[in-house]
Amino acid sequence: MHIVLVDGSRTGLMILQRMLEPRGDDVAYFTDGREALNYIQTTPQAEVLITSFEIGGVSGTELCWEARLIADAGRPLYVIGMSASNDAQHSIGVLDAGADDFMSKPPRQDELNARLRVAERTLIMQRRLIEMATVDPLSGLFNRGAFRQRFDMAITTAELEGTFSLILFDIDHFKHINDIYGHDAGDEVIRSVGTLRVPPDVHFSRIGGEEFAVILPSIPVDGAVSVAEYLREQINALTVERGDSVIRLTASFGVAEFRAGDTVNDLYRRADAALYQAKNTGRDRVSATSPEIVS
């Protein structure tokens, strides 16, 4: 596991370091709570926070609160609070501050190992629940709910930092594939689209039956058109075999770039209009609207 350990005492850190070393975990050590929080926020692989409540920078209570907000936003993160005080009210306060567990400081070796085993089991369950809530089981891509959440975030970020683009596409004549070859063939088509290669840091989702969306942070419309063409070429190379028949695929794409003042609906509507333009002008093509075009 990737553990973040926070204790205001370097001696305390050293004691816990010796306990953790035999486990082979990846551990980051801090005496300052704010530095630890910054590390957690910028290190997605950090999954366990063990924090004393006697730390500098921010209080242990505040650090637990902030870690709980990160976990509640959909990221697996298990928080263990620790304190030299064994007072029952104090341990209740630690748990109320957002910790998942509490242990006295310094812990016994067997106690620390047992609590980390609980953390590991809990994180496995959290990841499974997150996957069930955000991943489309057929394509393996993000689902519509995850797309909408990321779309909202992209709009907010773009208002502060710049632009991004949205690609919408769907498989041409998908109903015909289902009608002629059966729904099993249609499912295989959807699964094959889930294998498309996309650039890093993009959000690729299945948002409907044969409908897909790609969010491209910080990429203007020209770059998004290039990505859409790359996806279109990959789809053209896909084949699905059904008995003696080979199903060849094409898709139509609509691209739009964020412009200042856009709402989610504004940008989605422009990308959707571009998609329909691609369909109405022959399919198997990419159509784009510039950010200057008024919807």
Side-chain angles (χ1 to χ4, degrees):
M1 291 188 295
H2 192 112
I3 299 172
V4 178
L5 179 61
V6 192
D7 195 317
S9 163
R10 294 192 179 278
T11 300
L13 282 179
M14 188 178 300
I15 292 171
L16 285 162
Q17 181 180 8
R18 289 172 179 168
M19 291 183 176
L20 290 169
E21 278 179 350
R23 291 176 45 87
D25 295 302
D26 188 2
V27 185
Y29 299 91
F30 297 91
T31 58
D32 184 274
R34 188 166 301 282
E35 291 179 1
L37 178 59
N38 289 339
Y39 180 83
I40 292 168
Q41 291 171 332
T42 57
T43 311
Q45 62 267 34
E47 53 190 348
V48 176
L49 167 65
I50 304 175
T51 182
S52 171
F53 275 61
E54 299 83 21
I55 59 176
V58 299
S59 69
T61 299
E62 186 176 352
L63 181 56
C64 281
W65 285 340
E66 294 291 344
R68 178 53 45 210
L69 290 174
I70 293 170
D72 289 346
R75 173 177 152 191
L77 183 62
Y78 193 86
V79 181
I80 302 174
M82 60 180 181
S83 175
S85 172
N86 290 317
D87 178 72
Q89 285 302 120
H90 185 73
S91 62
I92 292 170
V94 171
L95 296 171
D96 283 342
D100 297 291
D101 201 354
F102 172 81
M103 62 185 178
S104 59
K105 186 179 75 170
R108 291 168 35 189
Q109 180 75 62
D110 56 354
E111 178 189 13
L112 176 61
N113 290 337
R115 294 187 186 280
L116 288 174
R117 287 194 294 272
V118 172
E120 195 163 20
R121 292 196 298 269
T122 303
L123 288 166
I124 290 171
M125 181 178 65
Q126 287 177 352
R127 291 190 194 95
R128 288 175 180 167
L129 291 172
I130 290 170
E131 180 176 344
M132 290 171 61
T134 61
V135 175
D136 171 56
L138 184 57
S139 66
L141 303 173
F142 290 110
N143 62 21
R144 187 179 185 89
F147 161 74
R148 182 54 192 260
Q149 183 181 39
R150 185 60 63 89
F151 197 13
D152 289 339
M153 291 173 56
I155 289 281
T156 300
T157 301
E159 288 173 344
L160 299 173
E161 299 179 5
T163 193
F164 76 101
S165 292
L166 173 67
I167 298 172
L168 299 180
F169 74 92
D170 61 32
I171 304 303
D172 294 329
H173 306 297
F174 185 72
K175 183 177 184 302
H176 177 78
I177 293 172
N178 279 331
D179 290 344
I180 299 299
Y181 299 100
H183 288 276
D184 286 347
D187 289 349
E188 187 61 31
V189 167
I190 298 300
R191 279 191 287 268
S192 68
V193 173
T195 68
L196 297 180
R197 298 181 300 278
V198 296
D201 302 323
V202 308
H203 189 87
F204 187 13
S205 305
R206 181 187 179 205
I207 59 174
E210 72 274 28
E211 300 171 295
F212 300 85
V214 183
I215 297 171
L216 301 102
S218 304
I219 296 179
V221 66
D222 290 347
V225 167
S226 296
V227 172
E229 288 287 1
Y230 175 59
L231 293 172
R232 188 185 66 81
E233 291 169 2
Q234 290 185 67
I235 289 173
N236 286 350
L238 294 174
T239 58
V240 174
E241 296 183 2
R242 303 303 292 178
D244 295 332
S245 301
V246 177
I247 305 171
R248 299 192 180 278
L249 307 177
T250 66
S252 301
F253 292 76
V255 182
E257 180 182 349
F258 171 84
R259 69 170 180 228
D262 267 348
T263 65
V264 164
N265 289 338
D266 293 334
L267 182 54
Y268 189 95
R269 186 167 59 249
R270 289 206 310 280
D272 195 46
L275 170 59
Y276 275 92
Q277 182 181 13
K279 285 186 168 294
N280 292 334
T281 54
R283 303 178 189 268
D284 187 22
R285 63 190 61 204
V286 176
S287 178
T289 59
S290 81
E292 289 77 24
I293 294 176
V294 178
S295 301

